[in-house]
Every structure is written in structure tokens, then in C-alpha cells.
């Protein structure tokens, strides 16, 4: 009884929810169909629910063989079988994007937050090239406990939002752009250097990570430290 | 009445506390003594308190001329005249460092959090080269609402902490190191790619930014969304 | 008569104004006092006026020996003896900065534009952390024929302005910032990837270059192509 | 009536032409066929014309289903249904390339400028390895109100042109080259550091952006500030 | 007789085992089938065994034509015909990975070490996000003469191990990760800057190189310098 | 009794020698004189000896106040009070440099190895621009259990040595060079990509790290795994 | 008659041989079949011979339609119809590679040199991991007027050769390698920083450029300046 | 008698002139006064002349103590006592700069070439911002056997010259510039990617290296291969 389950190729971290408040989540990318089927079965059996990210359609098909009611969202590429918290989501997490192309990353964040019991407000395509679109929605955004701001190219959206709100902004740079966007590096560096306060940054295209942190903060805001 | 005060060389953001919950903070670096004196006087008069970062000793001397009881901490280089919230700090914010050389950045975070009313737990020099030092303090760290993890060199500390706690970890890369640490870039990239969850990152040596976000989260945990 | 004058160490481009509409300007940085004195004397004699950038105070003293009424601005570090166009500046060029620390670069742009006969509108310290400061001045900015937008850190200002105006925005990244601002590289990349249109970029801290281009555009707007 | 139209996945910026003098342009890359069809229909209906960039041949086929007379240029990948200004283009915009491989980017610039009513002069394959080719065309190039200079590899063309003309040069680095050209980064940096004046730079392969700015300047030169 | 054998396209280093203690190993990547067949035949004939890395399945098929009992491992992509030392492997080499996706690189190291006569202990998927998994195996790992630590993403595993053992740790960064992992560069830099001692680093995904060095050290520990 | 001693500003790792075979070593850089004096005293008292790296001359003076017989080497900047193993150094460690300017880094490695009981062979200034100098010493170098190869500029020395020996080569890139040497980055990358085998790399100028690993390997070669 | 021939899409530089001693060479990469056919026909007709680099097999097929006796080398990807100088090649140019995978780049250099009349000595696969292979051929290499040294990975070969010869070494970094070789950047930087003298560097994989310079030097050595 | 002389801290390469045609040259940077005095004395005694680069004025003073007639040029920082070849310099080497600030690097090249017996033509300040200055000197430049082209900023000069001459161009990037010139890296990359032929590149500010190669080529052109 050492807090993990030994598979041939992996050590499932069965004590993770106790330690961190979240069960182990599956990073599907690069895993074989056989590995995924085994991992999904074990985690579902262990935790009563299972959530994975960056799943290919073919991986979905494979896992469906062993978990027929597994749910797949082809845009955000999350693959999951939900949990009870969905019934009454708590608090509010705003997920905001600069453009249309940032939506898949935003949806990864939103679906992560929803899976772990959060109430999500989506505000998409409100980038700084047309600030009035953002301004028209700011009052609504201000009702959230935490904001996930998703942007590629020059990544200016979190700076603008950060100057207008009281709650933390989790900035997610995306690989949307070309040329000197360097696959999201420019957005990442830009967000790092924001002249506004209250902004912290996760890896390029890491919607899942942002959704996770937003869930942590949302829980704290609703329930306090347990 | 448009929410800012026009100086010759600056526009003081007098509506910032209303918008963001924090008054404008002074980034002293690169400002002349004359500019600083003017800004400190105006903000103190406007807000009843004032806080600045990256102040030189010579800047402290200059500001002391106009605000004799201004307080300067030479390690963290913060320069401030405090506010009432100090009387009864709320919640708990853990500030943790990998090494001794990371302490000045950590103190910038801690003093920021304290200035804005937070209760701070300091745990310094618990880097991963001697994990037992961190483990001996984990139970205490787990009582915090949010953790600021400060590290240079390879920046591994936030990853280790992230796997052991339920609350958000704000990772602060420092410029401590040499050679291929590239003045903190390696720590920054390392923290961005953490295999643990719940970690978001601020700019290199940005203790202030981390203290600000930690304050936001700590407030949410104690009071919820107001 | 081949369009340049041969000095020992340089070839003064005496046909430049005919070719480009601007006389040769002196980049003082790295030149010896003796070289500068010779160059200033020759250019003043040739063109009736002379303009140089990045001059040290000591270089000013040296040149003053040979041109007693030379003018030096210690913030922008321009060193010049003016020309007739100052009498009735034409058109309008807006020079806008995100912060106070960006002012020296902005002044290099403004003084360049003024030296070459442009009318300059200065709007400083209106960065995106407090958008209302910018908004309060937008109507005035919109009256310009061209806008020079100067910003360090994440360099978001040109994007915001670009979405609100009809005229070109010349973006000037500055080396203001620390850590992952990489001495202005982050601002440069950010400006390159703007989601707004009408934005082109010059080198880091290159106020002179922006002032030059703004002059070209301002002239075209006022006089058309001659 | 807040200046934009809400679609499921996007917020069309219907007040953009009023603000900026240009209607919203579609960045086709990464959009689904269904999204594009909807956006093209709405914008055409709203503005009487529509222009998009980086469209795939398959996207052209999709949009043709709903707008049968949509026009597609497979080299520059622009997809548009034109506007009245084509009837009598104004001013002159020179679009110049260093090599044959730079032509697709140059055509994106040229077609953008033409769509928005400019008269375009094309001068292609006049790179610095054979300067006489450029020199033979300089008199013609000098008649333009603005010059778009497109080059990959070492990107030296704008520097040479900049030293010979009175009007602004918009430099467009291209991803043409190999090895240490780093997909256009070398050309971008080179253009940024030009020893000639009057040169500002847009993103790698951003012909559209250069055509847009050239249109702004050309309009100012012909009509002045309206 | 100059210590190499001249082929049309290569010079086989027939004196390498005498000089270095290892025969020449084949880097299959980029070689044609015909070249590989020739090289494998010659080396097998010369040395009585042959080992190659980064072989494609198609290259395996080609070589099998001339060496029917050649062995191919599709995960680690090694292609070899073994040697006598397998009979009684010496010492102990621990090969440890942070995640499941690092296993192919780890297996390249492990199979290299085994081919050259070492006894290998595999401990996979013990990354720092769940430290208890590593701790549960540390006593076993400590029995090895040398440790190969394989990790992508932030590459923190070698730092943690380095603080807990007496023997050298060969750190292998892998290209596992996304975004700001930059194909393994972040892990490489992180390992370079480890705050723990006893860690040296090989190229990204260079399992072979780590297995080679581990073999050298393991031999020294068992037999001393011969 | 948790294996460390708590100071105000640090946690001395008193169980390190038991865990790793080496006592804690002091990285003097960035520590105050007061901190150093305290740390040196405690470690000397705890372990009977003490070793530090990157000490300034002024730090030496400070520590001498409390430990009068502390030894300082101004070239390698090590500061230590020795241990008994010096009496009969074991095995052999070759420390080799490409140039004269690499000697300070090499001496840090050599003195580290000697402090921890190793017998060191120094071979300096044998870079590849004059291979005969290296060849004249190769037989001697081959008698070592491990080789530390120190080089700046293009860092080719470890590759050449690696092809000629049976034992591990620890490559130390140095910041010697200029221009595109990028303070040692070029040497580091070069060493990472060596076409020879048996080479692993430590951080730029990290002579200490190389001396530590060489000591580990030398001990294994002499005594085997204890 | 201005020294070039105007095609629709290109300006053939018909005065190039007179200016530079070499006719225009075709960079086939990125050109359409139709463009290539036209260019090859024109240049062949103009110059009596034609040479191109980086031609695809499909481009060869296209050009063969209009020039049936065109010659294609599939390894080096050169496509040419030769000239008289082949009859009696002059001087000697040594082309040397570190590995087998560098041969295609080396052959581009060798065939370029041969096309322009040089006598080429090929010495392949003599990298520094087995120095004796190089040493066995050095006397022969020393007879050349110029040496082209081709290497990927750490690019150490030119440094070693440079220390042993009297004539210029043209270093060609190749993209051979993986991980931190960064597609040839490491080899390029390494060659730039050679501790040996007489080494200058061309772009990654630029065999053609090296062959061209070697031809220039070889001609000077044989005929002097004409 | 192994072709080098052993000093305490260095191995003087006494067989270098026989191998390479040049005696060992001293890189003064980073050497102590004592080391320099010893090295200069030994080399002068061995070779009858001595040449060093990057010498500080204080190093000159030190060496003058032991070699009173040593010659120092404070701009190029070369320190030498000449040789007989000065009497009748051979051939012609053109050294060309883009700007005045590039002259120190150019002089290092010129003085190196002169020391080793070459006839040098200096053409300074002919950068591409005023092409007519270069064109006025091209006929003279064309008489050289080899051209050293020195430029900072965008480094376009070698490309322009390369398209106009028959002999090799050795391109020397300089650290002249600011912002995105990255201390010469932009010029280096630009030169690497020249669209002109016949250009090879040496390290940033490496005037010595260019002068050395130019000497090799000039000798070949005058005397052929000896």
C-alpha cells in the first residue's frame, strides 16, 4: 500500500486525489491504444470517473471499446467519463479568448473546469483589435472568481483584462499565429512581461493546466480552504 | 474626473483600487529622484499609504526627504508607508525558496503580500538537492491558501511542491545561477513545463507580481468573491 | 563631384538630402570627440543645420567648443542646431508612450520629427494597465496623420491603438523591463505579431527611426508626393 | 447596437471600417469551411465586399458554394469579392521583391492594396546580387507614394532602396531561404537593423499587413487626412 | 594496416575497440539500405557482433536479408546481433524515467548497456509529480554503480535523484513535452543547471550515449581500470 | 533530528555526506560575509573540513577572521580547509584544457577532486589547433580513471579525446571566447553533439561539478561500489 | 541592353559572368516546373551551359523535356549541362567530410567546383571520433589549393584540419545530427569559433557556396588575378 | 623535440609556421602581464618577430618592459614587433567597411595582413545607405586578390560587393549596432544568408581571422601553391 498501482509501463498515482484534490488525469498524447485502454479502465475503476486530454479520434475509438459511454469532444480533444459534481457546478470561472482560433485551447480549459465541478462562463473572440467587443462583456466577466485568458499572436488580452478586474488572471498563450510568433513563444513572453498585475502564465496551448488552476482558485473562493 | 491624475511625466491611476482592489504601486527602477518624490507624495496623499518596488538606497534617501517615516528594506528593495490591514493579517500565504540566494526575491513577494494584508509563512532554503528539508516543513506549508515557490538554477522546486498540495502554486524563477541558467530563463522554462499541476509562472525575479496574485487568491479564500 | 565628401575616417553623404529628402544625421555613439567635431562642422557648413542622436554629455561639451550654440537635450540625447522649418511646423504627429520610462525614446522621436518640421502631439504614460487614460486622449490622437507608439515590457500599446485609428502606427519597442523582456526583444516580437492592422515596427529604442518615418508620412499627408 | 455582430464562434467587428477606414478582413487559416462560409456571407452582406487571406484551395471551393463569383488567387491565396474602388485606383504603391520566390508574399501585398483602391507598380526579382536590375527600375519606383520591399535570405533589399528614396519603405521579411535563415528570422532582424532610414518592418510573410499600411500612406498622400 | 577499412562511402573504424573498449556502433538514421547492409555485414564479420541505433523497421527488413538472425526492438529502434557478454552481465546500471513517454529513450540506453555486458535495473514512470513512487524504489536504485535518469518536460528527475545517491547520474533530456519544452531544450537546460551534484548531461533523446557512459562507469566499478 | 541544521537564512544539510558520500559544499557567490562566516564555522565544526567555490578575495578575508588557517586559491577561487584524504590520494583523474585561459575552471575541478581525495594529473593548453601537443601526452592521459576536458570557443577537445580513450570524459564548456561563442553556449552545444562517445557535459565554467563527478567515478574505479 | 533579360517572373542576370567570373546559377528550390524550363532554356542559350542546385527528381523530369541531355545527380541534387572546362580541370580542391551522412552536401560542393573547371579530391568519413582516418590522408589533402570541410553534429573537423594546413579551409556546417544540433546551428557556431586559423564559414548545407568560393581561390592559385 | 615548447601555463606551438605558414599569434585577452611577457619574449626569440591581438594598453606597457621597441596600435589593439616581409608587401587585399565605427575591426584585419606581408587597400565608410560612395571606389576594389568586408547592423555590405567582383569576399560581422543587432549576431546571420556568391564569414569582430585568410588567398594568388 504505497499510494500507486504498478502497471507494466506506468505507475498509477492512486493517492493523488487525497494529496492534491484532483485524481490523476491522462495525457493521451504519445500513448498507445493498448496503454490508454488499460489506464482508462484502471482509473475509472479506482476513481469512479476519468478525464484525459489531447486524445486523438482514433484513441477515442480504442477507449470506447472498453468504456462504451466514454465522451469525446473533438475540438478540445478531451476524453472523459464525468463525475457527480457536474450536477451542481459551483462558483464561476470566466474563459475568454482573443480570437476564434484560440477556441480549442479555451475549450480544453473550460471542459477541465467543468469536469472538476466549476461553473464556466465563455466569452470568445474579444481580442484587442476591437476592444469594444471586450468592453461590452466586462461586467459579466467581473462576476467570475478567476479568469482564464487565452490568446495567440501578441498575447495582449490578459494585460487589458488584468487592468480591469480584482481576481487572478491565468494567461494561456496559444500557438495561433505565424512567422515571428514562434509557435506561441511571443505570446508567452508577452504575457510574462505584462504591465498589468494579477497575471500568471502557463505553457503554450496548456488549456488543461489553466482549467486546473482556475478550479483550485474557484474552490477556494466558494468553500475557502478545507 | 476621468480616474487619473495628470503629472508632467505620468498619469497616476487614481481609480485603480476601485477597479482592481489594489492601489497603484510604484516601480521605482529608472525613475528620477524628483519623479519619485512627486509620485510618492501624491499616492500617499491620495491613498493614505504607498508601496514601491526595486528602490535604490539613494532613492530611499530622496523619498525620505519628503516622507520622513517611509520604510525601506534593503534586501527586497521595497519602499513603503504601510496601511491599516497590517493590524490583523488574514489567511495564509506560504513563501518558499530553493536556496539562500533566492531570499531577496522571496522577500519582495512576502512584503508585498503583507503590505496588502496577508499573513505570510516563510520557508527558505528547502531546494530539491536535500528533499528532507522540504518534507520536514510540508505539513506547515499545506496550511496555506496559496504557495509562492521561488527558485533559480533548474527551478525544480515548484514541480515537487505542486505534486503534494491542493492549492495553487505561483512559481517565481530567479536569476540565481550561472552559465546556461541564462539569467533565469532556464528556471522560467522549467517551471512552464512542470509535470505537476496547479503551477503558473510570473516573470524572472518578479516577487512583487507573485505577492500580488497570492494576495488575490488569499483574499478569495478568506472572504470569497466580494 | 560624386555626392560625398571624403574625410579621413568617413565619407559624408552630401547628396543625401537630394536623394532622400533628409540630410545626413549623425549617430554619435562610438565616435571620438575629434571625429564628432569635424563631422558636425562639415555638416553644418554643408547643410546649414545639423542633427545627431545618442550623444553623451561629454560629446556635447566637445562639439560646443566648435559650435557654441549647439543644443543638447539630456533625456533624449539629441544634439542639434536647428533649421528654418521650426518656424511653422506642418501637419500632426502623435507620439504616445505606455509608461514614464519610455519617455526618453519617445523624445528622441518627437525631437527628430520637430527638427524636420513636424508638429508633434505628446501623450505619455497611457499604457494598457489603465486603459481609461488612453481612452481619455483618443480623440486628440485621432487628429494626427501618423502615430508613434512607444512601449517596453509586453508592448501591447500599439495593438490597442491600431484597432482605433485610420492612420499608420509606427511601433517602437523599448528596452524598458526586466527578466524575460530580454532588453526589448519581447516588446519587439509582440509588436510584430499584432492582431491589429496598420502597425509596422522599428528597432528597439529607435526613436530616431520612428520620428524619421513619421516625418515622411506627415509630409505626404500635408503636401502629397512632391 | 454595440458595433459587432455575435456569431456562435466569432464576433464580427461591424464598426471597424468606421473606426479604421478598413472593413474586417478574414484570416482564413485555421477556420473551418462552415465558419468561413458564414463569415464571408455576413461580411459581404454587411459591407458589400469581402476580402480574406491565406485561403486554401479547398476553402475557396467551400465559399464558392455560397458566393459563386468569389475570386481566388492561388499564388497569393487571397479570396475576395471586390469593391468599387477598383474602377479608379488612386496614387501609386510600389511592390518590389528581391527574388522570384518572394512573389507570393508580394502578391498578397499588391492584391490587398488593389482591393482597397490603390494603384500598384510591381517590380520583381531585383535583389542585391545584381544591383543593376534594381537601378534600371529606380526612377519608376521613385514615383510611388510608398514602397513595399519584400525579401528573404539576408533581407538587404530595403536597406538599398531606403538610401535612394524619399518615401517610407515597408519591409516584409519572407521565409525564403534555408539553414541559418531560420524561416525568415534573419531577414526580419536584418531589416530591423537597417543602416538606411525610413524603413519599418512587419511580420514574416505578412504581405497583407504591408499592403494595408501602404494603403493608409497612399491614401494620406493622395487625399491628406480626412 | 592503418586501423580502418575503406568502403566506397565510409571508413569503418576497425581499431576502435582496441582504442576505446567498444567496437564501432552504427547510427542507422539517414543511411541507405544498401549502405546499412554492407556496414552490418562488415562489422559483424570484423567483430563477431554488431549494434546499431535509430533503425527504421524498413531498415531492419533490409538488414535481415543479409543477417537473418538480426534482432530488432521496435520501441527503442536498436538493431543488433548480440555478443557473449550477455551470458553473465556484470555490475548494475539503473535506468529510471520520469514518465511513460520517456521509455523508448530509456530502452535505447538499457539495451546499449546490456549489449555491452551490463546488468540493467529498469525503474519507469517515477517523475516528481508523485514523489512517493520514486521513494518506494530508491533503496533498489541505490544498489546501482551508475544511474541513467531520463526525463522530458521540466527535467527535474535527475536533480531529485542526485541529492539521494552516491554514484554518478547520467541525465538524458527527452523531447517529450510541448510548447515551451522546445523539443527537449528546456529539459536539457534544466539538467545542466541542477542544484544537486553528480549530474552530467548528454544530448536530447541520446539514450545510446547514456548507455555507453554507464557501461564505462559500471566496468570501472566492477573491474577497475584495466 | 531531521538531517539538517536550521540557521536564520539557510538549512545546512548535515546528512548529505551520509546520503551522497560528500559533505555540503559552499557556493560562495552572492552570500554575504556574515552568512559565509556562519556557514563555514558550522560546516567545519560539523564535518571537520569545509570546501567552497567562487569565493571573492574579500570573502576569503572575512572567513579568515573566524578560521585563520582557511586556504584560498585566487585563480580557481576555491576556499577550503582540507581533510585527511589528502594524505594518500587515490586513483587518477586527468584534467585537460584546450587553452591557457581555461585554466581557472580546470583548477576548480582539480582542487575539488584533490579535496575529496583524488590524485590529479594536469595537462593544460593542448587544444586542437596544435594536435601534436595533445598526442604527446595521450599515453599519460590514458592512465587516468576518468578525464575532465575543459574548453571554450568551439569546444572540440572532448570529441578528440573521446575517440582515443576507454574511460568517461566529463566535458566542461568555458566562457572563454567572444562574439558567437555566446559566453560558452557554443562550446556547451558543441560538446552535447560530439560524434565521439563517452562524453557527458556539465554547465558552463562548472569546474566544481566536473571535479565532483570525476571523484565519484575515480572512487568507483579504485574501491568499487561500497 | 542593361545586363539582364526580363522574363515574366524573373530578371536573368546576363552580365553576371562578366562581373563575377561565373554565370548565373539556378536555385531550383521553390520554382515551378514551367519557370525552371524557361530559365534553363534561356541560360543554356545565353551561356552555352547551365547549372542548378537543389533540384527535385520531378524538376529534372520537367527540364529533361526541353533539354534531353541535361544531367541530374540525385544525391547532391545538382542539375546541369556541362561546359568545356571539364576537359582539363585545373588546380586541386579537397572536399572532406566528417561522416557518411555529410556526403550529399559535399557532393554539391564537389560538383559545383568541377562544373566550373576545378580538379576535386574527395576524402569522406574522416571525422574526429577516429582521427587516424584523417591523418592517413593528410599528405594528400595538403596538396590542395583550398579545402572544403563538411561536418554536422559538433562540427569539429575544420578546426583539426585548420591546424595542419597552409591553405584556406571553407567550413560547411550540415544539418546532420539531432536534438541540440538544432538542424546545423551548433555546427555553424562551432565552426565560427574555431581556435584554429584560416577557417571561414558558409550557411548550413550550403555545399554550392563552398564550391563556388573554392573555385575562386583555386583559380587565383593557378592563374593569379587575371 | 616534439614541436612545442612547454611553459608553466602554456605550450608554445613552435612548429606552427612549418605546418601552417604562420607563426603562433598571441590572443592577449585574458592573459596576465607575466604570462604575456614570457610568451612575447619566447616567440620573438623563436621566430624573430611576434604578433598579438586584443592587447590592452596596460598589457602593452608590461610587454614594453621586456621588448622596448614593441609596437602598439590603440585602435585595433594589435601589439607586435614586425618582420622582414614589410619591406616589399605582395599582392593586394582590400579592406572595406560599412561605417566609421567598424574601423577598429577593419584595422585589426589590415594590420594582420600587413604583418604577414600583404599590400592592403583601405576603403572605409561605404555602407549601403549611400551606395554611390561604394560605387565610386569599386574599380579600385576590383584590383584586389581578395576582399575583407566589415559591417555591423544589418551587414548588407558583403552581399552588395559579392555581386560585383570575381574574387572571394571574407565577411566580418561587427558588434556595431544596438537593440536587435544582438551584439553582431544579426550581421553574422545576414552575411551567412547572402543571396550573392563568394562570401564566407568569420566570427563577430574577428578582424584578425579575416586578415589571416586574406593573407592565405593573397599568397596563393601571387605565388600559387608552394
Amino acid at each position: 500500500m504505497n499510494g500507486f498501482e504498478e502497471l507494466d509501463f506506468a505507475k498509477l498515482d492512486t493517492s493523488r486525489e487525497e494529496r492534491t484534490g484532483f485524481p490523476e488525469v491522462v495525457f493521451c498524447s504519445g500513448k498507445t491504444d493498448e496503454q490508454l485502454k488499460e489506464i482508462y479502465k484502471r482509473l475509472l475503476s479506482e476513481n469512479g470517473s476519468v478525464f484525459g486530454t489531447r486524445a486523438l479520434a482514433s484513441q477515442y475509438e480504442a477507449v470506447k471499446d472498453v468504456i462504451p459511454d466514454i465522451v469525446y469532444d473533438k475540438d478540445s480533444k478531451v476524453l472523459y467519463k464525468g463525475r457527480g459534481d457536474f450536477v451542481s457546478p459551483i462558483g464561476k470561472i470566466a474563459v475568454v479568448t482573443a480570437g476564434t482560433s484560440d477556441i480549442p485551447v479555451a475549450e480544453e480549459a473550460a471542459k477541465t473546469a467543468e469536469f472538476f465541478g466549476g461553473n464556466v462562463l465563455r466569452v470568445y473572440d474579444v481580442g484587442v483589435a476591437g476592444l469594444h467587443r471586450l468592453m461590452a462583456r466586462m461586467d459579466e466577466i467581473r462576476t467570475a472568481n478567476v479568469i482564464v485568458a487565452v490568446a495567440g499572436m501578441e498575447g495582449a488580452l490578459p494585460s487589458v483584462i488584468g487592468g480591469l478586474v480584482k481576481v487572478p488572471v491565468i494567461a494561456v498563450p496559444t500557438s495561433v499565429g505565424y512567422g515571428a510568433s514562434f509557435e506561441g513563444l511571443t505570446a508567452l513572453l508577452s504575457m510574462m512581461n505584462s504591465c498589468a498585475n494579477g497575471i500568471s502564465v502557463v505553457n503554450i496551448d496548456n488549456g488543461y493546466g489553466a482549467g486546473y488552476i482556475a478550479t483550485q482558485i474557484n474552490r477556494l473562493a466558494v468553500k475557502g480552504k478545507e
Side-chain angles (χ1 to χ4, degrees), chain A:
Chain A
M1 257 316 292
N2 43 23
F4 60 90
E5 182 176 358
E6 183 102 33
L7 305 187
D8 262 15
F9 49 87
K11 291 181 182 52
L12 298 183
D13 188 349
T14 51
S15 60
R16 188 169 292 182
E17 186 151 17
E18 190 189 326
R19 289 196 325 274
T20 68
F22 295 79
E24 182 159 8
V25 163
V26 190
F27 183 69
C28 300
S29 179
K31 295 208 169 59
T32 66
D33 288 356
E34 289 316 303
Q35 289 176 330
L36 269 192
K37 284 154 79 167
E38 187 70 13
I39 292 171
Y40 263 76
K41 271 195 305 187
R42 297 284 184 109
L43 286 175
L44 182 57
S45 144
E46 182 81 31
N47 301 320
S49 72
V50 61
F51 190 80
T53 61
R54 305 198 172 217
L56 302 173
S58 61
Q59 292 177 319
Y60 161 50
E61 295 299 332
V63 174
K64 202 166 57 171
D65 281 355
V66 293
I67 310 178
D69 56 349
I70 195 86
V71 179
Y72 182 60
D73 178 72
K74 76 175 166 24
D75 288 335
S76 60
K77 301 200 181 318
V78 297
L79 180 68
Y80 60 98
K81 182 165 171 188
R83 31 163 65 191
D85 344 33
F86 266 105
V87 179
S88 54
I90 65 169
K92 189 177 297 176
I93 296 164
V95 179
V96 185
T97 77
T100 302
S101 313
D102 302 314
I103 293 178
V105 175
E107 278 298 311
E108 193 186 71
K111 290 207 161 49
T112 298
E114 288 174 342
F115 182 82
F116 290 117
N119 184 23
V120 174
L121 166 68
R122 288 161 170 88
V123 184
Y124 291 166
D125 196 23
V126 293
V128 299
L131 265 184
H132 58 302
R133 300 174 301 187
L134 175 64
M135 293 308 170
R137 304 293 296 275
M138 273 313 301
D139 282 347
E140 204 177 350
I141 293 170
R142 279 197 194 89
T143 64
N145 289 319
V146 57
I147 298 161
V148 175
V150 184
M153 301 167 103
E154 89 275 56
L157 184 63
S159 286
V160 170
I161 294 176
L164 299 171
V165 300
K166 293 183 174 166
V167 298
V169 176
I170 312 299
V172 189
T174 71
S175 51
V176 171
Y178 62 91
S181 83
F182 299 125
E183 307 289 318
L185 176 58
T186 292
L188 185 157
L189 292 174
S190 180
M191 291 166 173
M192 272 289 155
N193 285 280
S194 179
C195 59
N197 295 312
I199 295 168
S200 59
V201 190
V202 296
N203 197 3
I204 298 164
D205 291 337
N206 188 7
Y208 162 69
Y212 184 103
I213 299 166
T215 299
Q216 290 178 315
I217 296 172
N218 189 46
R219 286 178 180 174
L220 284 167
V222 173
K223 315 184 195 171
K225 184 81 168 55
E226 290 167 287

